[in-house]
Amino acid sequence: MAEDLVLDTAIRDWVLIPLSVVMVLIGVLRYFVSKLMRSDQVPDLKIVKEGQVIIRARNLRAAANFIPAKSFRARKHYYSNEENGLLHVPKGQAQNPQAQMFSDPNMAMDMMKKNLSMIIPQTLTFAWVNFFFSGFVAAKIPFPLTQRFRAMLQNGIDLSTVDVSYVSSRSWYFLNLFGLRGLFSLILGEDNATDDTQRMMQMGGFGFDPTRSLGAEKDSLDIVQHDWALPKFEQRAESVLKKLVQK
Amino acid sequence: MAVHDDSNGQKKKSSDALDEIPTFNVENMQNNTRIINYSRTFMSIIGGVIAGILGYTALTGFIFYFVIMAITTVGLAAKTGFAVHSFFDSWNQIVFDGILGGLLSFVLFWTFAYDMVHIF
């Protein structure tokens, strides 16, 4: 270590701790606000029915090995039968649900509300950090980094000879942003709305299109090989009962 | 530093006692995975604070993090009675799951504690 800067105690009290505390509190606030703002959306009957059919088909696929081959085939036929099988949708109806979904005002509003409630606190906090806490060294990270990180981590500090380990408060903000995700999962329980990056990854796969999933479900049901998992079941039951009786 | 905290309750047996084909109870497996994540997060936070207080820098700190993760792995394995396969899908899950997420929390609390104590 070339030089060892001594930093003002006041920075500790008035920058690091308040920033962390504020971020934790904002996360908790966002969680409760998103819970309160969950609007009661009356689900469309048709979509619910199709969703339930898909769940049933999925259960059949998962537990296929526990029912005898004949009953499995009977159920499979019920689902993927060409004329009146539940999963078979004629081609004409393929496009409608998708168009309906996008013009459905409720769903669009919900998506927008969720997006906003994620992005706005982050933006506000970032702007606040930049405005108040720029232009000085805020913290020292305990490990050294190369010179190329200097531009990213030290953007308020204009001295080029200061060690890259001494970072500005903006990088403390980002460090908090990522590090507090773990803490939130501990104190708020699973399925909390503060995990931004996870949500952003899920955004790409959004688009509940019932027709497409029906077709996909039908295909995967066709693929399943039935492997009777309980061939010696009667013998096993007999031995278990025998053991019970002998006790 | 030998305080493990096997917080948040019990793991549940997720595979059946069938000899022929192993089956998994999905809900229990999810519960077990959640427990792994909680344990790792908690340990990485505690480990970060300790690393900061003790003044580890650079490489020593990262090595300390992996030591903590190894202790967590051993602790989790011991909790399953070393019969890992009846609780989890594979070895990989109990060893590698949640290491990178924990790393970020570790670095945060490490930086925090290090600054509090040493650069006052």
Side-chain angles (χ1 to χ4, degrees):
Chain A
M1 277 279 308
E3 69 273 4
D4 215 359
L5 289 185
V6 175
L7 298 173
D8 195 357
T9 312
I11 296 184
R12 302 298 154 263
D13 299 339
W14 295 102
V15 174
L16 290 194
I17 295 183
L19 193 52
S20 297
V21 167
V22 162
M23 288 186 77
V24 171
L25 289 180
I26 285 188
V28 173
L29 195 67
R30 228 181 358 179
Y31 172 69
F32 285 119
V33 165
S34 73
K35 269 199 155 179
L36 287 175
M37 282 210 321
R38 197 148 296 172
S39 59
D40 286 324
Q41 190 185 13
V42 175
D44 187 14
L45 181 63
K46 187 165 180 295
I47 291 188
V48 167
K49 266 182 15 185
E50 280 169 355
Q52 296 293 77
V53 166
I54 290 177
I55 291 178
R56 279 172 63 191
R58 218 171 272 163
N59 280 341
L60 176 65
R61 232 182 340 136
N65 296 332
F66 291 121
I67 49 180
K70 205 166 71 161
S71 10
F72 173 67
R73 270 202 301 272
R75 285 175 175 81
K76 196 169 96 159
H77 183 75
Y78 175 63
Y79 283 116
S80 47
N81 186 0
E82 285 299 308
E83 293 112 37
N84 54 4
L86 293 182
L87 295 181
H88 186 251
V89 179
K91 294 296 180 214
Q93 291 181 4
Q95 285 311 311
N96 275 346
Q98 204 168 12
Q100 192 186 29
M101 187 195 77
F102 281 124
S103 65
D104 188 10
N106 275 343
M107 215 176 293
M109 268 297 293
D110 248 358
M111 251 169 53
M112 234 174 49
K113 263 195 275 189
K114 282 201 186 102
N115 275 345
L116 285 184
S117 78
M118 292 310 134
I119 294 183
I120 281 194
Q122 261 193 357
T123 322
L124 281 180
T125 316
F126 189 52
W128 177 65
V129 166
N130 268 341
F131 179 64
F132 277 111
F133 299 132
S134 60
F136 57 88
V137 170
K140 177 178 187 297
I141 50 182
F143 47 92
L145 291 171
T146 63
Q147 295 299 317
R148 275 188 293 169
F149 284 98
R150 185 185 288 275
M152 190 170 69
L153 299 174
Q154 282 190 346
N155 51 15
I157 306 163
D158 292 325
L159 307 167
S160 59
T161 56
V162 174
D163 216 353
V164 189
S165 304
Y166 291 95
V167 300
S168 69
S169 36
R170 198 190 282 192
S171 46
W172 177 246
Y173 169 72
F174 280 116
L175 197 60
N176 264 309
L177 192 62
F178 293 121
L180 287 177
R181 278 191 293 154
L183 189 65
F184 282 138
S185 81
L186 276 185
I187 56 182
L188 296 180
E190 284 295 323
D191 198 25
N192 57 67
T194 56
D195 206 348
D196 281 353
T197 50
Q198 212 178 40
R199 287 209 129 245
M200 280 194 272
M201 281 193 284
Q202 273 177 3
M203 284 305 183
F206 188 61
F208 172 66
D209 189 8
T211 327
R212 227 173 20 203
S213 23
L214 281 185
E217 204 56 42
K218 174 165 176 293
D219 289 337
S220 23
L221 197 55
D222 281 338
I223 288 178
V224 169
Q225 299 268 17
H226 181 256
D227 197 5
W228 175 230
L230 310 170
K232 303 210 187 62
F233 199 63
E234 286 128 349
Q235 279 91 324
R236 277 196 68 222
E238 179 196 348
S239 58
V240 166
L241 284 175
K242 248 196 229 168
K243 261 191 269 180
L244 272 178
V245 167
Q246 276 170 5
K247 270 204 204 140
Chain B
M1 216 249 80
V3 184
H4 312 300
D5 192 278
D6 259 310
S7 53
N8 301 329
Q10 309 295 319
K11 298 191 212 257
K12 313 213 186 110
K13 262 218 185 267
S14 62
S15 81
D16 240 337
L18 285 179
D19 310 303
E20 295 93 19
I21 299 181
T23 60
F24 291 103
N25 181 349
V26 176
E27 200 180 282
N28 287 347
M29 266 182 57
Q30 281 177 348
N31 187 34
N32 295 347
T33 312
R34 208 179 308 147
I35 289 181
I36 295 184
N37 277 328
Y38 283 166
S39 308
R40 282 199 193 275
T41 311
F42 192 70
M43 291 290 281
S44 55
I45 290 180
I46 302 278
V49 173
I50 290 179
I53 293 179
L54 292 179
Y56 291 151
T57 58
L59 202 57
T60 325
F62 284 113
I63 293 179
F64 185 67
Y65 175 65
F66 285 112
V67 166
I68 296 278
M69 285 293 116
I71 293 179
T72 316
T73 306
V74 169
L76 286 169
K79 179 94 175 165
T80 67
F82 290 105
V84 175
H85 286 287
S86 64
F87 285 96
F88 296 104
D89 236 345
S90 67
W91 270 110
N92 296 342
Q93 211 177 1
I94 200 175
V95 173
F96 292 124
D97 196 23
I99 279 192
L100 287 187
L103 184 65
L104 288 171
S105 305
F106 173 80
V107 168
L108 171 68
F109 282 92
W110 181 24
T111 309
F112 193 64
Y114 185 79
D115 285 344
M116 288 295 130
V117 172
H118 291 271
I119 320 244
F120 229 107

